[in-house]
Amino acid sequence: MNTERHKIYLAALLHDIGKFAYRAQETRAGEGHEPLGEKFILEHLNKIKVTQDCADEIKEYSKHHETASYCRIADQITAAERIDEKDSKEARRPLVCIFQNIFREIRNGNGYPAYYKPDGIYYYEPTAIDVQNIKHKTEKNISDSAQWKFDNNESIRLHKASYDDFKKELASLNNTGHIEAFVHSLYYLLHKYTARISSASYKSYPDISLFDHSRTTAALVNCLTYILNEKDLKEYNPEKSHQDFLLLKGDLAGIQKFIYSDISPDIAGDTKGLAKRLRGRSFYVALLTDFIASLFICKLELAEANILYSGGGHFLLIAPSNEEVEKKIDALEKEINLMLRDKLSSRLTLVTGRSSFGNNLFSNASEAIQKVNYELNRNKYKKYSNYLDEIINFRSGKTSFKDDEKLGKNLPYGKYLLEIVTENPGELLNENSLVASFEKFHTYYFIIKEPEKGNEKDAIKNLLSGKEKTIQSVRIFKINDAGFLEFAKDLCGQYDFPISFGFKFVGIAAPKDEEGDVLSFEEIAGLDRTPRGKLSYPQLGILRLDVDNLGAIFALGLEEHGTSFSRIAALSRELHHFFCGYINTVAEKHQIYIAYSGGDDAFFIGSWINIIHFAKEFRDTFKEFTCNNPNITFSAGIFLCDSHFPVAKFAENAKEAENRSKNFNNKSKNAITVFEHTPGWENYDSMLMFSEKLLRHTKTKEGETDNKLARSLVHRLLRIIKASLYSKGKYQGEVDIDKLNRNVMQLHYLFARHGFTHEEIEKAQDELKKDIIKVIMSHFSKKELVKNYLIPTHYVVLKTRTLEKN
């Protein structure tokens, strides 16, 4: 974008910043959010080197209630999502969690989820986000959010603390000498501090953050400045807009093929090299998705706010709609796919779907998304249609692609990711920190890890110094840490090229040894639940999971309060925060290797016992994160194997287990498959608790007290369950009631032989007889319950098993 458009974009990002200031102080006469916003712009942009001469101009642009203003029109359109809501007198109410709004109080039938009404209000305190900050608070037993009361003084205190921190961090950008770099850094600073602040607290359902409203308004402003001059602006009527806006969705096809290509099904997973490649390729997909999305906004002269979401091989953009834009999109899509052909032999392919809309793009985003999804799916069958000869005539050979290895090697130790655009890459290609390159677009990525001597700042300076004639621009992203401006004062103004700052949440957790090296799969397989514990019988656990019905959630789940782009942006941002950021916290606790974690699906590797307990905590945390909404669930599959099992094969088997969970209970999903059994999550939780209880009462070594079950008895229980199942035919794996009845009779005899008679069990008071044997005797006779005990019996048999010595 040119400088003038950057100023208007900056004004749009800050058009409601006065709301932040307003909530951080007691109300005084004449200090509504609009004058406070103007005061903020004049006071703080006058201190920024690059905006000192235009603060007054930016202030004028930000007046979204003036007659002829880009911000006024954009705000009018994006705020339409709030028109039908009831107003409240409270202007400082916290931000309500978007997840309690999914499929809330909607019609039943025709495939819609069940009626859902929260048991109160889930909300966020107005604090800065970080990789671990996903917790919300709950105000119980409130049915009407318009009557929601809260502590006004406490709200002011929290807003003020956050607002003061925001201003302090903003000051670290004072020496920024390039407006594009400043706006990019400010975008991430607003993300950090305003993603937990409501945009319209006075509305009955304040579930849209100030950040999400500001960025969708700014995205719309970028479209308007692209297509409207000052004369057109004065005459523009949003209600009469026909096809001014374009919704563009991109999809990388062939992700699974790419991740496992060149990994033969018979190549085992006990080498560290394969572990690195698996992680490297997974992250490469995420990096490539972000890179391609940024190429589109650069080519279309837009900005970061125009990317509604990006991750896991998908991105969604808002752009202006005209013939010039359409031509640019076609040309860039071709250029990207030819690059992917050269670099990856077309194992990954970009497919796009797009459609033009008027004001209805924002008034009915659900319909727009469904239409674009349809166009995208249709285009998958005619990809390369305009340049098929160039693809067909390409001679595929062995490429020199090594980015996956470099990414996999450096990612677990990465502190910063640098994106450098240059005309002459010669000075950069030999840098040890180089992890990915897109030569055709002169863009290169570097991972900065803590050096043996000095610190990350010194490492960044060493990379950049002496290359002023080569580098065009630098973007510095801090990995999994929103404290991304710690080096801004030292780096801004030090170089002729623009430097901007941001942060990225990336699933990178991996168990390491005492020297800090990532463990191999063979070493991971032996990890017990305690930090230094070792399993007597090592096995890998492979977990794959995917959010259920995500397409329906985005397209239909927000209907009650309006499927606006602000809400869609908030929903995708929160899911990304969980799956790419917070997930590291849970994974590290359970010593889990994150092979991949995107916006809605994930792939994890750990020891069998750690992966089983990790799955439970992951689900519990996700359930809490999504406000206990029963219509937001995920399905998972766990496959257990030796550490020497082929990598591509265990990934495929875990996916098959996940698919079984997707088909659970007439495709109602919300289940997990483990030990070739698929229970719902509630049954899984109860069986995991029973597993630990059964383990406590099972002999794990010779010489233990007789007041415990013999391991052989538990193993016999497992065989009884398996013997009660159909072994073949259309009912394979289901319970054969006749076999079950015969085996239950054997079970009574088996327990009696071990001293547990029917009379003793009935009058038992101790935990072993009362809570274990009595429960088993009762549940094993019930067809609908007996299969669940595959979990605890397998669990105990594996935990008490030892490797046979040669």
Side-chain angles (χ1 to χ4, degrees):
M1 298 193 301
N2 60 38
T3 301
E4 199 63 22
R5 289 185 64 220
H6 266 117
K7 293 176 186 177
I8 300 173
Y9 173 52
L10 175 56
L13 284 174
L14 295 173
H15 81 283
D16 267 346
I17 194 66
K19 291 182 178 180
F20 198 177
Y22 177 87
R23 292 169 194 157
Q25 65 178 44
E26 292 283 357
T27 305
R28 293 191 286 268
E31 288 193 329
H33 79 271
E34 292 172 46
L36 285 173
E38 295 175 19
K39 179 181 177 182
F40 173 89
I41 291 173
L42 291 176
E43 180 179 345
H44 293 280
L45 296 196
N46 268 319
K47 297 176 183 177
I48 307 294
K49 181 179 177 181
V50 75
T51 56
Q52 285 173 345
D53 298 332
C54 56
D56 282 297
E57 187 181 4
I58 292 171
K59 182 200 73 173
E60 292 303 312
Y61 284 142
S62 71
K63 291 183 177 180
H64 48 298
H65 295 296
E66 293 296 315
T67 303
S69 164
Y70 291 108
C71 282
R72 179 194 67 81
I73 294 172
D75 188 65
Q76 176 186 341
I77 294 173
T78 58
E81 62 206 3
R82 305 189 298 247
I83 288 176
D84 294 332
E85 295 183 6
K86 294 181 290 184
D87 285 352
S88 166
K89 294 181 180 179
E90 306 291 354
R92 294 189 179 87
R93 287 187 303 166
L95 175 70
V96 169
C97 303
I98 189 73
F99 295 104
Q100 67 190 299
N101 194 22
I102 305 296
F103 287 122
R104 174 180 170 141
E105 301 182 35
I106 63 166
R107 57 188 181 274
N108 290 324
N110 297 322
Y112 278 82
Y115 176 89
Y116 163 62
K117 186 172 183 178
D119 57 353
I121 292 180
Y122 297 87
Y123 66 93
Y124 299 107
E125 290 188 331
T127 57
I129 66 166
D130 60 49
V131 75
Q132 298 181 14
N133 186 7
I134 66 167
K135 299 294 184 181
H136 49 63
K137 292 200 166 185
T138 309
E139 191 72 32
K140 293 288 187 180
N141 302 317
I142 296 180
S143 57
D144 185 358
S145 59
Q147 305 302 316
W148 179 22
K149 301 296 181 182
F150 63 98
D151 189 329
N152 190 64
N153 291 331
E154 178 66 3
S155 178
I156 292 174
R157 185 188 71 79
L158 291 171
H159 277 95
K160 184 179 186 306
S162 187
Y163 186 57
D164 289 344
D165 288 342
F166 168 68
K167 292 185 293 183
K168 188 182 298 182
E169 288 208 57
L170 180 62
S172 66
L173 297 171
N174 284 353
N175 292 327
T176 306
H178 300 267
I179 190 166
E180 183 176 1
F182 171 70
V183 176
H184 182 267
S185 301
L186 176 66
Y187 178 87
Y188 283 92
L189 196 61
L190 290 170
H191 182 179
K192 177 178 179 177
Y193 284 103
T194 63
R196 290 285 182 262
I197 295 173
S198 64
S199 169
S201 292
Y202 56 89
K203 290 297 180 180
S204 60
Y205 204 80
D207 64 333
I208 300 170
S209 74
L210 181 58
F211 174 66
D212 291 311
H213 172 66
S214 297
R215 67 174 173 138
T216 50
T217 301
L220 185 53
V221 162
N222 286 336
C223 296
L224 294 173
T225 57
Y226 197 113
I227 60 178
L228 297 178
N229 57 34
E230 289 188 12
K231 179 179 180 298
D232 295 331
L233 177 66
K234 293 178 181 179
E235 299 173 355
Y236 185 78
N237 184 345
E239 299 301 323
K240 296 181 180 180
S241 166
H242 297 293
Q243 291 187 322
D244 289 338
F245 310 112
L246 187 77
L247 189 62
L248 170 67
K249 184 171 183 179
D251 179 82
L252 284 173
I255 291 176
Q256 297 302 314
K257 178 183 176 182
F258 165 70
I259 290 177
Y260 303 113
S261 62
D262 301 332
I263 301 179
S264 172
D266 60 351
I267 295 179
D270 62 341
T271 64
K272 291 188 177 183
L274 280 176
K276 292 172 183 175
R277 285 174 62 191
L278 188 64
R279 178 208 307 281
R281 291 193 179 188
S282 297
F283 181 65
Y284 186 82
V285 170
L287 183 66
L288 181 61
T289 306
D290 288 345
F291 170 68
I292 291 175
S294 68
L295 280 180
F296 274 99
I297 62 173
C298 180
K299 190 73 172 180
L300 300 178
E301 301 175 41
L302 300 171
E304 198 92 9
N306 289 81
I307 304 174
L308 284 176
Y309 69 77
S310 172
H314 313 279
F315 61 85
L316 188 66
L317 311 179
I318 295 177
S321 178
N322 58 40
E323 187 176 350
E324 179 187 359
V325 168
E326 295 275 1
K327 288 180 179 179
K328 286 182 177 180
I329 292 173
D330 289 335
L332 184 56
E333 183 175 346
K334 174 183 176 180
E335 197 173 1
I336 290 169
N337 277 325
L338 291 179
M339 176 202 73
L340 294 174
R341 177 203 65 181
D342 296 339
K343 194 172 184 67
L344 304 172
S345 299
S346 296
R347 284 174 289 185
L348 287 174
T349 304
L350 174 66
V351 182
T352 64
R354 58 188 184 265
S355 191
S356 297
F357 302 89
N359 196 28
N360 61 318
L361 174 62
F362 296 88
S363 61
N364 193 350
S366 173
E367 183 178 308
I369 288 176
Q370 291 179 68
K371 184 175 181 180
V372 170
N373 283 339
Y374 173 79
E375 293 296 325
L376 176 68
N377 290 328
R378 194 173 68 164
N379 289 341
K380 287 181 179 179
Y381 296 99
K382 55 178 183 177
K383 57 186 178 183
Y384 312 134
S385 58
N386 296 326
Y387 48 98
L388 191 57
D389 288 344
E390 294 178 67
I391 296 294
I392 292 175
N393 294 329
F394 172 68
R395 292 187 176 181
S396 179
K398 187 174 182 180
T399 68
S400 59
F401 180 69
K402 298 289 184 181
D403 294 359
D404 56 344
E405 296 177 14
K406 292 181 285 187
L407 279 167
K409 177 182 177 181
N410 291 284
L411 189 59
Y413 313 101
K415 301 295 182 182
Y416 286 89
L417 177 72
L418 269 63
E419 177 193 275
I420 298 180
V421 178
T422 176
E423 279 295 339
N424 177 19
E427 296 180 60
L428 299 173
L429 292 178
N430 294 323
E431 294 288 343
N432 291 331
S433 56
L434 178 67
V435 292
S437 55
F438 301 102
E439 296 89 342
K440 194 167 187 176
F441 297 97
H442 310 290
T443 304
Y444 304 83
Y445 289 91
F446 302 80
I447 284 181
I448 303 298
K449 51 189 179 182
E450 186 175 356
E452 293 181 5
K453 296 181 180 180
N455 54 37
E456 294 92 344
K457 181 178 68 177
D458 294 332
I460 293 172
K461 284 185 173 182
N462 289 336
L463 176 62
L464 302 181
S465 295
K467 302 180 179 68
E468 283 83 354
K469 293 182 180 180
T470 297
I471 295 175
Q472 290 184 318
S473 66
V474 176
R475 289 182 173 180
I476 302 174
F477 296 96
K478 194 161 190 184
I479 298 174
N480 291 336
D481 189 344
F484 65 103
L485 290 175
E486 59 181 342
F487 302 147
K489 284 185 179 180
D490 293 318
L491 295 177
C492 284
Q494 297 296 310
Y495 305 93
D496 292 334
F497 47 78
I499 299 179
S500 59
F501 304 86
F503 58 88
K504 285 186 181 293
F505 291 155
V506 182
I508 62 174
K512 302 181 180 70
D513 60 24
E514 293 180 356
E515 283 71 40
D517 293 329
V518 174
L519 301 181
S520 68
F521 289 161
E522 188 173 19
E523 293 167 317
I524 290 172
L527 297 175
D528 205 347
R529 296 183 66 193
T530 56
R532 296 182 181 274
K534 298 296 180 184
L535 292 172
S536 58
Y537 185 72
Q539 286 270 283
L540 280 179
I542 315 301
L543 168 66
R544 297 188 68 167
L545 58 87
D546 179 72
V547 175
D548 298 324
N549 308 312
L550 190 64
I553 288 173
F554 273 99
L556 306 171
L558 295 163
E559 282 187 342
E560 188 198 0
H561 292 285
T563 310
S564 70
F565 273 113
S566 297
R567 288 192 171 99
I568 290 171
L571 182 58
S572 61
R573 176 181 53 76
E574 291 291 347
L575 286 172
H576 181 83
H577 191 167
F578 185 88
F579 275 94
C580 297
Y582 182 75
I583 184 57
N584 291 286
T585 302
V586 188
E588 287 170 2
K589 177 180 176 181
H590 292 273
Q591 305 177 90
I592 298 299
Y593 177 104
I594 300 178
Y596 171 75
S597 187
D600 67 319
D601 62 340
F603 178 9
F604 306 105
I605 300 170
S607 68
W608 73 267
I609 194 167
N610 284 341
I611 210 78
I612 282 174
H613 287 277
F614 167 77
K616 176 187 178 339
E617 182 162 349
F618 187 90
R619 189 261 178 175
D620 291 346
T621 307
F622 184 72
K623 183 179 178 182
E624 180 184 6
F625 173 69
T626 54
C627 306
N628 299 305
N629 189 329
N631 297 310
I632 311 173
T633 62
F634 67 77
S635 297
I638 294 176
F639 175 72
L640 272 54
C641 60
D642 184 85
S643 63
H644 298 81
F645 198 83
V647 172
K649 190 64 177 174
F650 71 48
E652 179 185 333
N653 289 352
K655 185 64 178 178
E656 290 175 358
E658 180 194 320
N659 290 337
R660 283 185 58 179
S661 300
K662 291 286 186 184
N663 290 313
F664 172 72
N665 194 18
N666 294 320
K667 296 188 177 182
S668 63
K669 307 178 183 181
N670 191 26
I672 181 170
T673 297
V674 61
F675 300 123
E676 299 185 357
H677 171 52
T678 306
W681 281 104
E682 285 70 21
N683 281 333
Y684 177 76
D685 291 352
S686 64
M687 287 296 99
L688 200 52
M689 290 176 61
F690 190 84
S691 298
E692 295 183 279
K693 188 182 292 186
L694 180 60
L695 180 63
R696 288 199 305 270
H697 291 282
T698 301
K699 292 181 182 179
T700 58
K701 56 186 177 181
E702 295 296 328
E704 284 191 295
T705 176
D706 289 336
N707 193 31
K708 282 192 172 186
L709 296 176
R711 180 181 182 275
S712 60
L713 178 58
V714 179
H715 203 282
R716 183 67 180 275
L717 293 176
L718 175 58
R719 292 203 302 269
I720 286 174
I721 300 172
K722 289 184 174 181
S724 300
L725 307 178
Y726 285 101
S727 58
K728 57 185 178 180
K730 66 177 181 178
Y731 298 113
Q732 184 177 356
E734 296 302 317
V735 177
D736 182 330
I737 193 65
D738 292 330
K739 288 183 178 180
L740 177 63
N741 290 336
R742 291 195 298 269
N743 286 322
V744 167
M745 293 175 63
Q746 293 182 21
L747 183 62
H748 282 272
Y749 173 73
L750 182 64
F751 276 124
R753 277 190 57 193
H754 285 78
F756 303 111
T757 63
H758 176 75
E759 293 76 14
E760 288 182 341
I761 293 172
E762 286 300 314
K763 62 183 181 181
Q765 295 299 314
D766 63 284
E767 185 180 62
L768 173 61
K769 295 177 183 177
K770 178 183 177 183
D771 296 338
I772 295 181
I773 297 175
K774 188 174 182 178
V775 169
I776 289 174
M777 294 296 293
S778 172
H779 288 184
F780 270 49
S781 62
K782 295 182 172 68
K783 179 180 178 180
E784 68 276 11
L785 297 177
V786 65
K787 280 184 69 176
N788 287 334
Y789 287 85
L790 284 167
I791 295 174
T793 50
H794 267 113
Y795 184 101
V796 171
V797 167
L798 275 176
K799 189 67 172 67
T800 56
R801 187 175 178 180
T802 57
L803 281 174
E804 294 181 5
K805 296 182 180 180
N806 295 329

